[in-house]
Amino acid sequence: MNNMTKINQTKINKLIQDSPKGLVLLSSWLLNKGYSYELQQRYRNSGWLKSIGKGAMIKSGDPLLLSGALSAFQSQANINIHIGARSALELHGASHYLQIDSPQTTLFAPGRTQLPPWFLDNKWDTDYNVTNMRLFKDDMLGMTTYKDGDIEINISTPTRAMLECLALSPMEFSLNEAYELMEGLATLRPIQVQTLLENSLSIKAKRLFLYFAERAGHSWFKHIDQTSINLGAGNRSVAPGGILIPKYKIVLPKELAE
């Protein structure tokens, strides 16, 4: 075994040992780490790595994990596609009393993000839907680390996830369910709530968040300074024929307005 063969053997051993089970490995990222395209091809030919589409691989024998794909986007390609809305609240244990789990994992991606074929064309361990929406001035606000086995990914904190639910309401997310979720968020940190509300770009989500929090009677609500939060002007309706909440200038279904 010559020196170059030994070096290559050491490199693949390190890659195999350092990569959690199910992690997607992007070819461009491996190149920056010193694994040439030729070397990557050798690893595939030798059965160490398996291609899952142009520019992406997994270790041979690994399952296709959605978390492994998200980790690759976040840590290798610097794309903030993440688990959010109710799906994030489920991971935080904040929706256990709603009985039914979501059939799909809700993913949020920055507005014009184009997802590659290797992601779209594969069947992952979890079904998903992607919402392309920019909700905050700083897209990384309100993120936290979650571990799926040995894979680390960023997901929305409960505060951000709640705002994401409300941004999707009522067309893609039930207002009644959103309120039930808010009722369970009694331990939010006021400073984080304040920061996210000040940076949110959705007037509708902010008005609903504040109204639902006040209606639920959460103790942290009294620490929120609404004077520094842009709530826009004019009335907004999310329920045709509903009842206007004058304080928040939003029209809601009767059952949520009383």
Side-chain angles (χ1 to χ4, degrees):
M1 183 182 293
N2 60 39
N3 287 337
M4 185 56 68
T5 301
K6 289 180 180 178
I7 291 172
N8 289 341
Q9 187 69 36
T10 300
K11 286 171 73 82
I12 186 59
N13 286 340
K14 177 174 174 52
L15 181 63
I16 296 300
Q17 291 171 7
D18 291 349
S19 302
K21 183 178 182 180
L23 177 66
V24 173
L25 301 167
L26 300 183
S27 182
S28 56
W29 179 77
L30 287 173
L31 184 65
N32 289 332
K33 291 291 183 180
Y35 297 87
S36 67
Y37 290 128
E38 180 185 11
L39 195 54
Q40 294 176 38
Q41 183 65 52
R42 287 186 196 173
Y43 293 159
R44 290 194 296 271
N45 292 341
S46 300
W48 291 102
L49 300 178
K50 174 186 175 183
S51 174
I52 59 170
K54 185 177 180 180
M57 292 159 278
I58 56 174
K59 293 182 297 181
S60 293
D62 276 9
L64 287 171
L65 302 180
L66 183 62
S67 59
L70 296 179
S71 181
F73 281 127
Q74 295 170 0
S75 63
Q76 298 175 36
N78 294 316
I79 296 174
N80 183 33
I81 176 172
H82 65 276
I83 296 175
R86 174 177 167 154
S87 297
L89 289 170
E90 287 175 354
L91 294 179
H92 288 298
S95 66
H96 59 278
Y97 53 87
L98 291 183
Q99 308 286 326
I100 303 171
D101 289 337
S102 302
Q104 293 183 319
T105 296
T106 300
L107 304 179
F108 277 79
R112 297 186 178 181
T113 302
Q114 296 292 317
L115 298 175
W118 68 257
F119 179 73
L120 298 173
D121 294 344
N122 275 300
K123 176 67 176 177
W124 304 93
D125 66 319
T126 304
D127 290 334
Y128 66 88
N129 60 75
V130 180
T131 295
N132 287 95
M133 184 183 292
R134 184 166 181 253
L135 286 176
F136 299 92
K137 298 173 186 176
D138 178 352
D139 196 52
M140 290 305 296
L141 275 179
M143 304 297 292
T144 189
T145 301
Y146 177 82
K147 288 198 74 171
D148 179 25
D150 291 327
I151 295 175
E152 287 192 357
I153 55 174
N154 292 325
I155 69 171
S156 295
T157 59
T159 302
R160 176 170 177 143
M162 190 70 247
L163 281 164
E164 289 169 339
C165 286
L166 295 170
L168 297 177
S169 298
M171 298 302 293
E172 299 177 49
F173 197 86
S174 161
L175 285 168
N176 287 312
E177 185 177 4
Y179 179 68
E180 290 179 34
L181 287 169
M182 175 61 84
E183 285 185 305
L185 300 181
T187 59
L188 296 185
R189 296 172 55 207
I191 189 169
Q192 186 181 72
V193 172
Q194 185 76 43
T195 299
L196 285 169
L197 287 173
E198 289 181 9
N199 282 272
S200 172
L201 300 172
S202 173
I203 298 298
K204 176 189 69 174
K206 288 184 285 189
R207 292 185 187 185
L208 285 170
F209 187 99
L210 289 168
Y211 172 66
F212 282 175
E214 183 174 22
R215 189 173 192 262
H218 291 319
S219 60
W220 50 261
F221 177 79
K222 63 179 178 288
H223 299 290
I224 304 304
D225 177 14
Q226 294 189 38
T227 63
S228 61
I229 301 168
N230 177 17
L231 293 177
N235 296 335
R236 304 289 174 98
S237 176
V238 293
I243 297 175
L244 175 68
I245 309 298
K247 181 176 180 179
Y248 296 104
K249 299 179 181 178
I250 194 161
V251 177
L252 292 173
K254 181 179 179 180
E255 64 270 19
L256 290 173
E258 295 178 339

